[in-house]
Amino acid sequence: MESYTILPASQFLFCPLNPNRTRSTITFNPLKQRISHPTSVQCQKMYVPGYGDASQEKKAAQQLHDFFTYIAVKIVNAQLQSYNREAYAELMQFLEQHSLNDGDKFCADLMRESSRHRSLALRILEVRSAYCKRDFEWDNLKRLASKMMDEHNTKVMRDYVSETHVMTESEK
Amino acid sequence: MESYTILPASQFLFCPLNPNRTRSTITFNPLKQRISHPTSVQCQKMYVPGYGDASQEKKAAQQLHDFFTYIAVKIVNAQLQSYNREAYAELMQFLEQHSLNDGDKFCADLMRESSRHRSLALRILEVRSAYCKRDFEWDNLKRLASKMMDEHNTKVMRDYVSETHVMTESEK
């Protein structure tokens, strides 16, 4: 059977710090009248290549930014449906003609459509900010993402094992 | 000038709780030997329609799940590049032929390609889980998303104001 030797995750750590500075011990210097305790700096993060200046967290924040605009449009649309049918119809019509993939572009285009649409755009900007800062449950997101990771990893492996088991059984 | 009346955000709150249960006061009952203090439950979340059973946090977690698979592939690829050129070439070739948009499908397909690819798939599953649970900075994501929201909202409005200012100037 052909196979690679795949090393465990712990052997692939990346630390941009100067190795000479890790586990450094700063001794007491009476002249400076400062007492320093031994400090230990350890970086155990995996190296992610090719992102230039943008961190992975910033990339994820960008994805969520467009998602929040999408949510804000849904919220405003539901509000208009109950108290301003005219504005609701206009927003629905605008949605049919413009993509929500780029949230900022959608708001900018809506702002330039007419003075009525401008009020709607300002409302969407206000709602997406309030939703991001107040309503969205960040701790729940972290919990769900970890849980989803475990479930999906198990499913991918279980499906493969089931499939190969069926194939082995049919070969008997 | 034609315009709608857009109500402030505070007037569009949604609370699925029974209103009779809010601000309930449970008085002291000597028979039960329990002391209860007045409790106040208030829900001030905006109503987001049309998601069925999936919460917004779950939808966002799904987006990040595919993002973590993408990151894991980048990490494993960078590791292979330095110690196993053969596996690196095979993973690069597989990447050219398969989309990473659906992370689970990518891993499932990789697992079924050959026994060598299966080792790589298992490694990607391991890395994406470790990255999600250990390396990814969740607090930083929340901070960056809020900051990005303020910056982008300001930019959308500033661009519009600049544009209309230029148009007004040129009309003079």
Coordinates of all heavy atoms in Angstrom, one line a residue, chain B residues 7-54:
Chain B
L7 N -38.7 54.8 10.8 CA -38.7 54.8 12.3 C -37.3 54.4 12.9 O -36.6 53.6 12.2 CB -39.8 53.9 12.8 CG -41.2 54.2 12.3 CD1 -42.2 53.2 12.9 CD2 -41.6 55.6 12.7
P8 N -37.0 54.9 14.1 CA -35.7 54.5 14.7 C -35.7 53.0 15.0 O -36.7 52.4 15.2 CB -35.6 55.4 15.9 CG -37.0 55.8 16.2 CD -37.7 55.8 14.9
A9 N -34.4 52.5 15.2 CA -34.3 51.0 15.4 C -35.0 50.5 16.6 O -35.4 49.4 16.7 CB -32.8 50.7 15.5
S10 N -35.0 51.4 17.7 CA -35.6 50.9 19.0 C -37.1 50.6 18.8 O -37.6 49.9 19.7 CB -35.4 52.1 20.0 OG -36.0 53.2 19.5
Q11 N -37.7 51.0 17.8 CA -39.1 50.7 17.6 C -39.4 49.4 17.0 O -40.5 49.0 16.8 CB -39.8 51.8 16.9 CG -39.8 53.2 17.6 CD -40.8 54.2 17.0 OE1 -41.8 53.8 16.4 NE2 -40.4 55.4 17.2
F12 N -38.3 48.7 16.5 CA -38.5 47.4 15.9 C -37.8 46.3 16.6 O -36.8 45.8 16.2 CB -37.9 47.5 14.4 CG -38.7 48.4 13.6 CD1 -38.2 49.6 13.3 CD2 -40.0 48.0 13.1 CE1 -39.0 50.5 12.5 CE2 -40.7 48.9 12.3 CZ -40.2 50.1 12.0
L13 N -38.4 46.0 17.7 CA -37.8 44.9 18.6 C -38.7 43.7 18.5 O -39.9 43.8 18.3 CB -37.7 45.4 20.0 CG -36.9 46.7 20.2 CD1 -37.0 47.2 21.6 CD2 -35.5 46.5 19.7
F14 N -38.1 42.5 18.6 CA -38.9 41.3 18.5 C -38.5 40.4 19.7 O -37.4 40.3 20.1 CB -38.5 40.5 17.3 CG -39.2 39.2 17.2 CD1 -40.5 39.1 16.9 CD2 -38.4 38.1 17.5 CE1 -41.1 37.8 16.9 CE2 -39.0 36.8 17.4 CZ -40.3 36.7 17.1
C15 N -39.5 40.0 20.4 CA -39.3 39.1 21.6 C -40.2 37.9 21.5 O -41.5 38.1 21.6 CB -39.5 39.9 22.8 SG -39.2 39.0 24.3
P16 N -39.7 36.7 21.4 CA -40.6 35.5 21.3 C -41.1 35.1 22.6 O -41.9 34.1 22.7 CB -39.7 34.5 20.7 CG -38.3 34.9 21.1 CD -38.3 36.4 21.2
L17 N -40.6 35.7 23.7 CA -41.0 35.2 25.1 C -42.4 35.6 25.4 O -43.0 36.6 24.8 CB -40.1 35.8 26.1 CG -38.6 35.4 26.1 CD1 -37.8 36.2 27.1 CD2 -38.5 33.9 26.4
N18 N -43.1 34.9 26.3 CA -44.4 35.2 26.7 C -44.3 36.6 27.5 O -43.6 36.6 28.5 CB -44.9 34.1 27.6 CG -46.3 34.4 28.1 OD1 -46.9 35.4 27.9 ND2 -46.8 33.4 28.8
P19 N -45.1 37.6 27.1 CA -45.0 38.9 27.8 C -45.4 38.8 29.2 O -45.0 39.6 30.1 CB -45.9 39.8 27.0 CG -46.8 38.9 26.2 CD -46.0 37.6 26.0
N20 N -46.3 37.8 29.6 CA -46.7 37.7 31.0 C -45.6 37.3 31.9 O -45.7 37.4 33.1 CB -47.9 36.7 31.1 CG -49.1 37.2 30.2 OD1 -49.3 38.4 30.1 ND2 -49.8 36.2 29.6
R21 N -44.6 36.7 31.3 CA -43.5 36.2 32.1 C -42.4 37.2 32.4 O -41.5 37.0 33.2 CB -42.8 35.0 31.5 CG -43.8 33.8 31.4 CD -43.1 32.6 31.0 NE -42.1 32.2 32.1 CZ -41.3 31.2 31.9 NH1 -41.3 30.4 30.9 NH2 -40.5 30.9 32.9
T22 N -42.4 38.4 31.6 CA -41.4 39.4 31.9 C -41.7 40.2 33.1 O -42.8 40.3 33.5 CB -41.3 40.3 30.7 OG1 -42.6 41.0 30.5 CG2 -40.9 39.6 29.4
R23 N -40.7 40.6 33.7 CA -40.8 41.4 35.0 C -41.6 40.7 36.1 O -42.3 41.3 36.8 CB -41.4 42.8 34.7 CG -40.5 43.7 33.8 CD -41.1 45.1 33.7 NE -40.2 45.9 32.9 CZ -39.1 46.4 33.3 NH1 -38.6 46.2 34.5 NH2 -38.4 47.2 32.5
S24 N -41.5 39.4 36.1 CA -42.2 38.7 37.2 C -41.5 38.8 38.5 O -40.3 38.9 38.6 CB -42.3 37.2 36.8 OG -41.0 36.6 36.7
T25 N -42.3 38.8 39.5 CA -41.8 38.9 40.9 C -42.2 37.7 41.7 O -43.4 37.4 41.8 CB -42.3 40.2 41.6 OG1 -42.0 41.3 40.8 CG2 -41.7 40.4 42.9
I26 N -41.2 37.0 42.2 CA -41.5 35.7 42.9 C -41.2 36.1 44.4 O -40.1 36.4 44.8 CB -40.6 34.6 42.5 CG1 -40.7 34.4 41.0 CG2 -40.9 33.3 43.3 CD1 -39.6 33.5 40.4
T27 N -42.3 36.0 45.2 CA -42.2 36.4 46.6 C -41.7 35.3 47.5 O -41.8 34.1 47.1 CB -43.6 36.9 47.1 OG1 -44.5 35.9 46.8 CG2 -43.9 38.2 46.5
F28 N -41.2 35.6 48.7 CA -40.7 34.7 49.6 C -41.8 33.7 50.1 O -42.9 34.1 50.5 CB -40.1 35.4 50.8 CG -39.6 34.6 51.9 CD1 -38.6 33.6 51.7 CD2 -40.2 34.7 53.2 CE1 -38.2 32.8 52.8 CE2 -39.8 33.9 54.2 CZ -38.8 32.9 54.0
N29 N -41.5 32.4 50.1 CA -42.5 31.4 50.6 C -41.8 30.6 51.7 O -40.9 29.8 51.5 CB -42.9 30.5 49.4 CG -43.9 29.5 49.9 OD1 -44.2 29.3 51.1 ND2 -44.6 28.8 48.9
P30 N -42.2 30.9 53.0 CA -41.6 30.2 54.1 C -41.7 28.7 54.1 O -40.8 28.0 54.6 CB -42.3 30.8 55.3 CG -43.6 31.3 54.8 CD -43.4 31.7 53.4
L31 N -42.7 28.1 53.5 CA -42.9 26.7 53.4 C -41.8 26.0 52.6 O -41.3 24.9 52.9 CB -44.2 26.3 52.9 CG -45.4 26.7 53.7 CD1 -46.7 26.4 53.0 CD2 -45.4 25.9 55.1
K32 N -41.4 26.7 51.5 CA -40.3 26.1 50.7 C -38.9 26.5 51.1 O -38.0 26.0 50.5 CB -40.6 26.6 49.2 CG -41.8 26.0 48.6 CD -41.9 26.4 47.1 CE -43.1 25.8 46.4 NZ -43.3 26.3 45.1
Q33 N -38.8 27.3 52.1 CA -37.5 27.7 52.6 C -36.6 28.3 51.5 O -35.4 28.0 51.4 CB -36.8 26.6 53.3 CG -37.5 26.1 54.6 CD -37.5 27.1 55.7 OE1 -36.4 27.7 56.0 NE2 -38.6 27.5 56.3
R34 N -37.2 29.0 50.5 CA -36.4 29.5 49.4 C -36.6 31.0 49.4 O -37.7 31.5 49.4 CB -36.7 28.9 48.1 CG -36.2 27.5 48.0 CD -36.8 26.8 46.8 NE -36.4 27.6 45.5 CZ -37.0 27.3 44.4 NH1 -37.9 26.4 44.3 NH2 -36.6 28.0 43.3
I35 N -35.5 31.8 49.2 CA -35.6 33.2 49.0 C -35.4 33.6 47.5 O -34.3 33.2 47.0 CB -34.6 34.0 49.9 CG1 -34.9 33.7 51.3 CG2 -34.7 35.5 49.6 CD1 -33.9 34.2 52.3
S36 N -36.4 34.2 46.9 CA -36.2 34.5 45.5 C -36.3 36.1 45.3 O -37.1 36.7 46.0 CB -37.3 33.9 44.6 OG -37.2 32.5 44.7
H37 N -35.4 36.6 44.5 CA -35.4 38.0 44.3 C -36.2 38.4 43.0 O -36.3 37.5 42.1 CB -34.0 38.5 44.2 CG -33.2 38.3 45.4 ND1 -33.3 39.0 46.5 CD2 -32.3 37.3 45.7 CE1 -32.5 38.5 47.5 NE2 -31.9 37.5 47.0
P38 N -36.7 39.6 42.9 CA -37.4 39.9 41.7 C -36.5 39.8 40.4 O -35.4 40.2 40.5 CB -37.8 41.4 41.9 CG -37.7 41.6 43.3 CD -36.7 40.7 43.8
T39 N -37.1 39.1 39.4 CA -36.3 38.9 38.2 C -36.9 39.7 37.0 O -38.0 40.0 36.9 CB -36.3 37.4 37.7 OG1 -37.6 37.0 37.6 CG2 -35.6 36.6 38.8
S40 N -36.0 40.2 36.1 CA -36.4 41.0 35.0 C -35.8 40.4 33.7 O -34.6 40.3 33.6 CB -36.0 42.4 35.2 OG -36.2 43.2 34.0
V41 N -36.7 40.0 32.8 CA -36.2 39.4 31.5 C -36.7 40.4 30.4 O -37.8 40.6 30.2 CB -36.9 38.0 31.3 CG1 -36.4 37.4 30.0 CG2 -36.5 37.1 32.5
Q42 N -35.7 40.9 29.7 CA -36.0 41.8 28.6 C -35.3 41.3 27.3 O -34.2 41.0 27.3 CB -35.6 43.2 28.9 CG -36.5 43.9 29.9 CD -36.1 45.3 30.1 OE1 -35.0 45.6 30.6 NE2 -36.9 46.3 29.7
C43 N -36.1 41.2 26.2 CA -35.5 40.8 24.9 C -35.6 42.0 24.0 O -36.7 42.5 23.7 CB -36.3 39.7 24.4 SG -35.7 39.1 22.8
Q44 N -34.5 42.5 23.5 CA -34.4 43.7 22.7 C -33.8 43.4 21.3 O -33.2 44.2 20.7 CB -33.7 44.8 23.4 CG -34.4 45.3 24.6 CD -33.9 46.6 25.1 OE1 -32.7 46.9 24.9 NE2 -34.7 47.4 25.7
K45 N -34.0 42.1 20.9 CA -33.4 41.8 19.6 C -34.3 42.1 18.4 O -35.5 42.0 18.5 CB -33.1 40.3 19.6 CG -31.9 39.9 20.4 CD -31.3 38.6 19.9 CE -29.9 38.4 20.6 NZ -29.2 37.3 20.1
M46 N -33.7 42.5 17.3 CA -34.5 42.7 16.1 C -34.9 41.4 15.5 O -34.2 40.4 15.5 CB -33.6 43.5 15.1 CG -33.3 44.9 15.6 SD -32.3 45.9 14.4 CE -30.7 45.1 14.7
Y47 N -36.0 41.4 14.9 CA -36.6 40.2 14.3 C -36.0 39.9 12.9 O -36.0 40.8 12.0 CB -38.1 40.3 14.1 CG -38.7 39.2 13.3 CD1 -38.6 37.9 13.6 CD2 -39.5 39.6 12.2 CE1 -39.2 36.9 12.9 CE2 -40.1 38.6 11.4 CZ -39.9 37.3 11.8 OH -40.5 36.3 11.0
V48 N -35.4 38.8 12.7 CA -34.8 38.4 11.4 C -35.7 37.3 10.9 O -35.8 36.2 11.5 CB -33.3 37.8 11.6 CG1 -32.7 37.6 10.2 CG2 -32.5 38.8 12.4
P49 N -36.3 37.5 9.7 CA -37.3 36.5 9.2 C -36.6 35.4 8.4 O -35.5 35.6 7.9 CB -38.2 37.4 8.4 CG -37.3 38.5 7.9 CD -36.3 38.7 8.9
G50 N -37.4 34.4 8.1 CA -37.1 33.4 7.1 C -35.9 32.6 7.2 O -35.3 32.2 6.2
Y51 N -35.5 32.1 8.4 CA -34.4 31.2 8.5 C -34.8 29.8 8.9 O -33.9 29.0 9.0 CB -33.3 31.8 9.4 CG -32.3 32.7 8.7 CD1 -32.5 34.0 8.7 CD2 -31.2 32.1 8.1 CE1 -31.6 34.8 8.0 CE2 -30.3 32.9 7.4 CZ -30.5 34.3 7.4 OH -29.7 35.1 6.8
G52 N -36.1 29.6 9.1 CA -36.5 28.2 9.5 C -35.8 27.9 10.8 O -35.9 28.6 11.8
D53 N -35.2 26.7 10.9 CA -34.6 26.3 12.2 C -33.2 26.8 12.4 O -32.7 26.9 13.5 CB -34.5 24.8 12.2 CG -36.0 24.2 12.3 OD1 -36.8 24.8 12.9 OD2 -36.2 23.1 11.7
A54 N -32.5 27.2 11.4 CA -31.1 27.6 11.5 C -31.0 29.0 12.0 O -31.6 29.9 11.5 CB -30.3 27.5 10.2

